[in-house]
Amino acid sequence: MDHFLYRNGVLHAEDVPLTDIAATVGTPFYCYSTATLTRHFRLFQEALAGMDHLICFAIKSLSNQAILRTLGNLGAGMDVVSEGEYRRAQAAGVPGARIVFSGVGKTRAEMAYALTHGIRQFNVESAEELRVLSEVASSLGAVAPITLRVNPDVDAKTHEKIATGRKEDKFGVPITHAREIYAEAARLPGIEVVGVDVHIGSQLTDLAPFEAAFTKIADLTRALRADGHTIRRLDLGGGLGIPYTRSNETPPLPTDYGAMIKRVLGDLDVEIEIEPGRLISGNAGVLVASVLYLKQGEGRDFLILDAAMNDLIRPAMYGAHHDIIPLQEAQAAAAPQPVDIVGPVCESGDTFAKARPMPALAPGDLVAFRSAGAYGAVMSSEYNTRPLIPEVLVKDDQYAVIRPRPSFDEIINRDKLPEWL
Ligand code: LLP
């Protein structure tokens, strides 16, 4: 459930008509709902109630500071994958003790920054990284708390580009070598082992791959404890999927996920960390765009919007589906006809949907892309020198622009001409 509903014939974000925001901010823009973010975060809290746990929001999915502050105020930790993300979490007021640092290619500078400013743990992805981290920590007179991200060789049965837990994927250390790498970790002066980490992929719509991976992690935890390691924390990553098509998708709920975690890991006496991104932010955001043209082609019609692949790349990059609905409820009720929904960018890949049944729309009409909160704004670019679109946050009947649209001068003046020109 989210808080984007038709009221009085117009799509609202909570108590604010999206048409009001469009009139003041202009299109296209992203709009997020505080109540939805809060609700999704609480669903995870309730699902893990009774277990010692920390929910670390994967800020790669939606990293605006206003969002991080909203979730941080609810007690969320943050999962970061770069110094930039660490600094965002910090700027949003989240203490280092609630920040975990993931990622397969951390630099020495990033390690040093996090060690200096405070870190809950590094999720280390290779023996090579472990040695570098030990050196960096020792040079600072610090000891780095770590988990090793283990690759359990489980197929998450999700999109090829976002599956991360098979042995051919670049992530983690093979579970078959984990014990020897833990043994090395225990000998390194700058390292303190605190737990085990696993993340097998994103947009999982079945609990079975999670359960297969967590079962392997439970066995590994027992083996590592028998080897003499202190395993007090399990980081289970993120990955729980969301319904992108309202009509026919029913992915497992956080409650089911939490019950499974309790069943598989409940007797281990460990603190559980999870790193959900999409489930918290995905359906907490929409992208609002205007219809520019209705173009009649050979055997197909095109609905040309003012939003493009640079604003929301998921359809072009993963063939992802986003429901697209009119802001005016009366239009939504009209008989649908198939159209190709496209943006103005100069490549055919700039297509949001092909032969999508849509009600008749006219230039100037407004539409919303649903489920656009996760991996939307954060993956946008200025391709075709199109300014990054604004982000707006709604809370009840209030809204605020949390990232303004840059001016063309701001964009163009970032370029520096060399002296010889
Ligand atoms: N933890 C780690 C280590 C991750 O790599 C990810 C996502 C997450 C947590 C959060 O996963 P989530 O709960 O959001 O599924 N751009 C793609 C998704 C990439 C996911 C990358 N890693 C998309 O638009 O579908």
Side-chain angles (χ1 to χ4, degrees), residues 5 35 141 244 256 293 308:
L5 298 171
Y244 277 97
D256 310 325
Y293 300 103

Side-chain angles (χ1 to χ4, degrees), residues 383-394:
Y383 187 37
N384 282 207
T385 308
R386 291 168 49 86
L388 292 184
I389 66 177
E391 293 178 281
V392 175
L393 180 62
V394 170

